[in-house]
Amino acid sequence: MPLKYSLLRIDLRSRSLRVEYIDYDSIIRRFLGGRGLGAYLALKELPKGIDPLGPENRLYMLTGPLTGAVPIASSRMTFAAKSPLTDSYTHSKMAGNFAYWLRKSGYDGVVLEGKSDEPIYISIINGNVEFHDARHLWGKDALETELMIRREMKCLGENECGVITIGPAGENLVRFASIMGSFTQRAAGRGGLGAVMGSKLIKGMFVKGNRDLLAGAFDRKRLLELGVKISGRIAKGSGKDPLHKYGTSVLVNIINSVGALPTRNFETGVMPTAEKFSGEVLAEKFLVKRHGCALCPIACTKIGKASWDGKSSSNIKYEYESLFALGSNLGVDEPSAILTMIDMCNRYGLDTITTGNTLATATELSQKGKLPIKLSWGDADTYIKLIEDIAYRRDIGNELAEGAYHLSVKYNDPESFVGTRGQGFPAYDPRALKGFVIAYATANRGGDHNEAWPAMIELGPYPFGPYPNKVFDPLAEVEEKIVFTVWEQNYYAAYDSLVLCNFVDQVGDDSLKPEEIVDLLNAYAGWDLTYDELITIGERIFNTERLFHVREGKWVRDELPPKVLKKALPDGPAKGHTAERFFEWGIKRYYELRGWVDGKPTRDVLKKLGLEEFNYLL
C-alpha cells in the first residue's frame, strides 16, 4: 500500500474532524513535511491579509517522514502560521517528545482551524480525538497546565505520552508567546505561535498511541540498520561531548571571544563579565541534570536551578540564545537572575529571544528619554517585574507585549530595533561574524540563526557543503560566505522538513551526513532521491516561503537594521567594523545566485522548481 501522510484537520468552531491523506510520491517528495509542507499549505490556504489572531488563521502542527522512525534525534516537528509578531508567514520547530507521540497517536500532522467558543484542550489517543473543558486551566502557567493535563489524562511520564501547552502570554495574545512542551523544557518560540493557539482558545494538546511508525516503511530492515549505525556513531563519538557536557551555552565564551556577543541591545559585541554565565560556570554551579529529547544520542538539554530575591526554581532549561537575550543583551551578568528570567519566560510561555530583544529596545528608548518609564542596563529586578507585566499585559507591559519592532515604530526610533522582518536578531553580531550579514538579511522568518548558521565555517571546520572543512576569518567579506549561506538555506529548509535536530548535523566527523539523509529517506519511502534533489527540495521550500511575503506585500525587501549596517563596533576584535560594505555588494551576489530580482523569485525560478501554480503572485 502506498505511503500517505495523514493530516488531521480540526474545525474548532464546529468541533468537526476531517482526515486528509497526502500522497508521498507527489506532494511529500516535493515538500517532505514539517517546515516545507507548512509553507506550501499556508501559501495555498491562508487568505491574503488576514488577522494572525483572527479565526481565519490556521495553526499547522507538522511532523516529517523520519519523525520518530529513526533514533537520530528525530522527535521534532514544525509549527507554522501567519505570525502575530511579523504579520507574515513564520515557522518554528519544537523538540522534546511531543512530535514522537503525535505520530504514535495516529496522525502525521494536525491543523487547527477556526476558533473554539470556550477554552479547551484536545486529546488524541490512537486516532480518537476528544475535546476537554479547559476553563479551570485558563490562567495557569505552562508547566502547571501540563502537569494538570497529565494527571487528568492519567499519563505522567514523557516516555508514555506528549503534551504541549500555552501559558498566560499565549492567553493574553502577547505577540511573541511560545508553545511549550516537555515540562517547559522545549518551545516553539519564534513568531508568536503561542498567541495563535491562545486566540483559538486552545490551552493544550495531549497525544498518545501505539502506532507502528515503521509499518509503512519501504525497506524496514535497511532503515533500522542505518538508524542504529548512525545513532551509535554519534553517541560514541567525541564530537558530541561539548554539547552533552555544557549544551549550547558552551558558546558564551566562544562568541564573546570573537567580539560577536550582542551586549546592551547590540551596542557592543563584548561583555567583559560574560564568563559568569558561561556554560562552564553554569555546569559547575547551577546544573541539576542533563537530559535528552526522545530518540536522541546527544542529550544536550541542560536543566539548572537558581535562587533570586528569595525565590527558587529547579526546572530551568537554559540555552545560549536565552543567556544572551536575558543576559548580555540587557547588561545583566548575574547568573541567578538570568536563570530566573529564563524560568519565568518558560512558565509564562514567552519566547526568550524576543523578550530580551523587547526589553533591550525598551531600555534604549528609556535611556533616550522616549519611553515613559525609567530603565537601566543590568537592572535585573525591574526586568523580572516587566516580564510578568508583559505576560499579563499590565501597565507598560501591554505596550511591550507588541514586541521590539512595534516599540521602535511607535517611538519613531529605528535604531532601537535590531532585527529584520519585524523579528529581533539572535545571539550573533553580524559586524563580527560577517556570514550573518546576508543570512540575517534574507532569512524568511526574520532575524534568525536557524535558516542559516554561517558561523559553522567561521568558528571551525564544517565537513559538508560547498567548502568542506575550510575555515574563513570571521571578519572576511568573501563571496564564499554568500555561496555557503545559499547552500545552507536550501539544505536546512529540507532538513527542517524531515524533521531532524540540527545538532546531529554539527558534531564534526561523527555528524549525520547529507548522503545518509538521502539513504534514510529512500529506505523509508522507496524513492530514488539524490543529494542534488534534496538540495532542490530545500530551494523549493525556501522560495515558497518567500512567495508568502510577496503575496502579502510585506517584508519583500532584504534589509539590515541601521545599528548594525552603519554603526561601527566600539571595541573588541571587530572594533570599527560595520555590515554596510559586505551587505551592499553581497546582496546583489545573493540575488544572482538565487535568480531573484529585488527580493522576489522570478517566473523562471518557479518553473525550475515546479512552482508554476504560484505564477499569479508575480
Side-chain angles (χ1 to χ4, degrees):
M1 181 178 177
L3 274 173
K4 298 287 185 180
Y5 186 102
S6 56
L7 186 66
L8 172 66
R9 293 182 179 271
I10 302 177
D11 186 320
L12 297 167
R13 183 185 62 82
S14 64
R15 298 197 182 182
S16 60
L17 311 173
R18 177 168 63 90
V19 182
E20 177 183 343
Y21 294 98
I22 301 174
D23 184 66
Y24 251 71
D25 289 335
S26 56
I27 300 300
I28 299 303
R29 182 151 179 170
R30 293 173 64 219
F31 294 96
L32 296 178
R35 176 179 164 188
L37 185 59
Y40 179 67
L41 293 176
L43 186 59
K44 283 175 66 71
E45 297 178 358
L46 296 183
K48 178 181 178 180
I50 61 169
D51 178 358
L53 297 175
E56 287 185 297
N57 201 6
R58 297 181 180 185
L59 182 59
Y60 299 91
M61 306 177 174
L62 306 169
T63 67
L66 299 180
T67 301
V70 291
I72 315 172
S74 63
S75 182
R76 291 179 82 92
M77 63 185 294
T78 296
F79 295 79
K82 189 174 184 183
S83 166
L85 183 68
T86 69
D87 201 34
S88 194
Y89 175 76
T90 196
H91 59 89
S92 188
K93 282 200 302 186
M94 178 189 282
N97 64 1
F98 185 80
Y100 172 77
W101 286 111
L102 174 59
R103 286 201 84 193
K104 292 285 284 184
S105 76
Y107 302 104
D108 299 314
V110 176
V111 185
L112 298 183
E113 305 175 0
K115 178 181 179 179
S116 174
D117 57 3
E118 63 182 9
I120 61 172
Y121 71 89
I122 300 168
S123 67
I124 307 175
I125 303 176
N126 284 322
N128 183 48
V129 181
E130 293 187 8
F131 302 93
H132 305 263
D133 187 346
R135 285 175 293 182
H136 63 300
L137 301 175
W138 211 252
K140 304 292 185 184
D141 73 33
L143 181 58
E144 288 178 298
T145 302
E146 175 163 349
L147 293 173
M148 291 176 73
I149 289 175
R150 286 181 176 277
R151 283 195 289 267
E152 291 176 16
M153 300 303 300
K154 297 180 172 56
C155 185
L156 301 180
E158 65 176 341
N159 294 327
E160 304 168 53
C161 54
V163 179
I164 56 171
T165 66
I166 60 170
E171 297 173 6
N172 294 313
L173 308 185
V174 176
R175 293 187 182 273
F176 45 95
S178 303
I179 300 171
M180 307 302 300
S182 298
F183 302 101
T184 68
Q185 293 173 13
R186 291 294 168 183
R190 310 237 65 192
L193 297 180
V196 175
M197 199 162 151
S199 73
K200 297 181 178 301
L201 296 183
I202 306 301
K203 184 62 173 170
M205 184 177 289
F206 173 94
V207 288
K208 181 180 180 180
N210 54 23
R211 174 190 182 191
D212 181 356
L213 300 185
L214 297 177
F218 174 78
D219 190 338
R220 183 183 183 123
K221 181 180 178 182
R222 171 69 172 159
L223 187 66
L224 283 170
E225 287 176 349
L226 283 169
V228 170
K229 177 184 176 182
I230 297 165
S231 182
R233 181 182 73 228
I234 294 171
K236 294 175 183 176
S238 60
K240 71 167 188 6
D241 289 350
L243 278 171
H244 177 71
K245 191 172 183 181
Y246 303 116
T248 58
S249 58
V250 72
L251 288 171
V252 171
N253 285 334
I254 295 171
I255 303 302
N256 197 39
S257 71
V258 298
L261 180 64
T263 301
R264 298 185 299 277
N265 203 29
F266 287 74
E267 176 186 307
T268 177
V270 177
M271 188 177 195
T273 56
E275 188 173 2
K276 292 173 63 177
F277 56 88
S278 66
E280 294 83 349
V281 170
L282 292 178
E284 178 185 353
K285 298 181 178 181
F286 297 90
L287 182 66
V288 175
K289 65 177 179 179
R290 296 176 174 88
H291 182 65
C293 302
L295 304 170
C296 179
I298 295 177
C300 75
T301 304
K302 300 296 162 280
I303 308 299
K305 63 179 179 180
S307 179
W308 184 259
D309 195 25
K311 300 176 183 177
S312 298
S313 180
S314 58
N315 188 53
I316 309 169
K317 184 255 185 182
Y318 59 87
E319 298 271 6
Y320 168 63
E321 296 293 336
S322 302
L323 294 168
F324 133 77
L326 300 167
S328 63
N329 207 31
L330 300 179
V332 177
D333 64 6
E334 174 50 57
S336 291
I338 299 170
L339 291 176
T340 296
M341 287 190 279
I342 292 172
D343 184 50
M344 292 176 70
C345 287
N346 291 343
R347 289 173 183 261
Y348 289 143
L350 287 165
D351 174 31
T352 54
I353 299 177
T354 309
T355 301
N357 292 147
T358 302
L359 292 172
T361 292
T363 304
E364 181 169 331
L365 289 170
S366 175
Q367 297 274 303
K368 294 174 177 177
K370 294 186 176 184
L371 200 70
I373 59 170
K374 180 64 177 176
L375 294 174
S376 301
W377 299 116
D379 185 356
D381 290 324
T382 299
Y383 292 137
I384 286 171
K385 180 184 182 302
L386 285 174
I387 289 172
E388 182 172 312
D389 290 342
I390 290 170
Y392 290 99
R393 284 188 173 268
R394 294 174 184 154
D395 303 322
I396 193 68
N398 186 50
E399 197 169 304
L400 271 58
E402 297 295 296
Y405 174 74
H406 293 274
L407 281 178
S408 71
V409 171
K410 178 175 181 178
Y411 291 99
N412 193 27
D413 193 330
E415 189 175 281
S416 67
F417 171 68
V418 187
T420 52
R421 295 188 165 85
Q423 181 166 272
F425 282 165
Y428 314 90
D429 194 307
R431 293 168 291 184
L433 287 168
K434 289 291 175 64
F436 282 104
V437 168
I438 300 301
Y440 278 167
T442 59
N444 279 325
R445 68 173 182 174
D448 187 86
H449 63 292
N450 282 325
E451 290 188 6
W453 202 73
M456 281 196 285
I457 60 170
E458 296 175 316
L459 298 176
Y462 180 62
F464 314 126
Y467 309 106
N469 296 313
K470 190 171 182 180
V471 183
F472 296 86
D473 180 348
L475 294 175
E477 299 177 347
V478 294
E479 182 180 25
E480 286 87 346
K481 292 185 181 182
I482 304 168
V483 173
F484 185 78
T485 292
V486 173
W487 177 85
E488 257 201 315
Q489 287 175 338
N490 293 341
Y491 181 58
Y492 278 111
Y495 195 94
D496 288 347
S497 304
L498 294 174
V499 183
L500 298 173
C501 174
N502 297 66
F503 297 147
V504 294
D505 168 66
Q506 298 173 12
V507 288
D509 293 337
D510 305 317
S511 298
L512 171 66
K513 300 172 175 58
E515 58 267 27
E516 291 174 329
I517 292 174
V518 171
D519 289 343
L520 288 164
L521 276 170
N522 288 339
Y524 183 77
W527 294 338
D528 57 354
L529 192 75
T530 65
Y531 166 79
D532 288 340
E533 187 178 351
L534 181 71
I535 301 302
T536 298
I537 291 170
E539 185 180 5
R540 180 180 301 118
I541 292 165
F542 196 84
N543 277 268
T544 301
E545 292 173 340
R546 181 56 65 106
L547 286 173
F548 198 101
H549 298 321
V550 172
R551 189 194 70 181
E552 294 293 309
K554 185 92 174 176
W555 308 123
V556 177
R557 183 179 176 85
D558 293 294
E559 310 177 284
L560 284 177
K563 186 175 288 185
V564 301
L565 186 67
K566 294 181 178 293
K567 190 173 182 179
L569 283 167
D571 50 18
K575 181 179 179 180
H577 281 257
T578 71
E580 186 172 22
R581 183 176 60 187
F582 191 36
F583 175 76
E584 285 182 349
W585 73 264
I587 197 64
K588 295 175 184 176
R589 180 60 180 139
Y590 178 88
Y591 288 162
E592 291 173 0
L593 292 168
R594 282 267 175 228
W596 290 1
V597 176
D598 296 330
K600 297 181 182 180
T602 64
R603 291 198 172 196
D604 286 342
V605 170
L606 299 194
K607 182 178 180 180
K608 181 187 79 168
L609 298 174
L611 294 172
E612 293 99 329
E613 65 184 292
F614 300 117
N615 276 343
Y616 71 94
L617 296 174
L618 300 178

